[in-house]
Amino acid sequence: MSVVALVPAAGRGERLGYGMPKALVPVDGVPLLVRAVRGLLDSGCVQHVVIAAPPSDVDVVRDIVKTVTAPSAPAGGAVHVVAGGAERSDSVRLALTHALREMPDATIVLVHDAARAFTPPAVVKAVVDAVAAGHPAVIPVLPLADTVKQVDDGGVVVATPDRASLRIVQTPQGFDAAVLLRAHRSGLHATDDAGLVERLGVPVVTVPGHQDAMKITTKFDLAVAEAILTGTGGAP
Ligand SMILES: Nc1ccn([C@@H]2O[C@H](COP(=O)(O)OP(=O)(O)OP(=O)(O)O)[C@@H](O)[C@H]2O)c(=O)n1
Ligand SMILES: C[C@](O)(CO)[C@H](O)COP(=O)(O)O
């Protein structure tokens, strides 16, 4: 069994407004992308990583990932960098194509946002273990802390869904390699990879996520990440 992690990192980070692609933004001197890749490798169950980089920064990213050194560096594996695409799903597809061409032995594929740079390695391992146990699609999730409303175009509430059955979805999302390939070849659209797989009728199971696996989207999120890092925030 070989596990490859695809890391979509080609976003511009417009909402963060840092003036550079979000994956390259440093937290305590270490770019988010490097932290995300280290987290994957530190799980001890990822052999290969394929990063989808901003097309204008492929060489920059190649240089940066050289700083991912032991004990994180995979034994016998490698960190690959390809140019990403216009949308997240394009970046995933490009990385997946590269992975299945260069690592045909990969049976499990993870898709993990560079923007979820503080995901604990234990979450990565839980996802891989669940796929290895025979589930074709596995996602880490958290319960909702707030009441959720459905509104119409005018902002008027039309429903209050029962939040007991709702979950916030994180990454890494883990898949049987053949299932993920089929999903990405289907021509369907979804905001996450599990959404594509779901539409194929394949069951998607959940494992517990973690607050630290939050997606860093805004300056507020970055401040929270810094607090996690310095030990002044984050969940136990
Ligand atoms: N064309 C894209 C767009 C996004 N991503 C990646 O997908 C993940 C989730 O995207 P998001 O957090 O929305 O990042 P951005 O697209 O950079 O954010 P923004 O919309 O603020 O520009 C990130 O790791 C991002 O780098 C990607 O690989 N390729
Ligand atoms: C994959 C994801 O992070 C799961 O929560 C999310 O769907 C990414 O969405 P975005 O629109 O690319 O931020």
Side-chain angles (χ1 to χ4, degrees), residues 15 88 113 116 169-171 173 191-193 215 217:
R15 287 167 289 178
R88 181 184 182 279
D113 293 335
R116 296 186 188 272
V169 177
Q170 303 182 322
T171 71
Q173 300 187 347
T191 53
D192 70 339
D193 303 280
K215 186 156 72 69
T217 305

Side-chain angles (χ1 to χ4, degrees), residues 195-212:
L196 291 178
V197 166
E198 217 180 300
R199 288 175 189 203
L200 296 180
V202 174
V204 178
V205 305
T206 64
V207 295
H210 195 284
Q211 282 183 355
D212 291 1

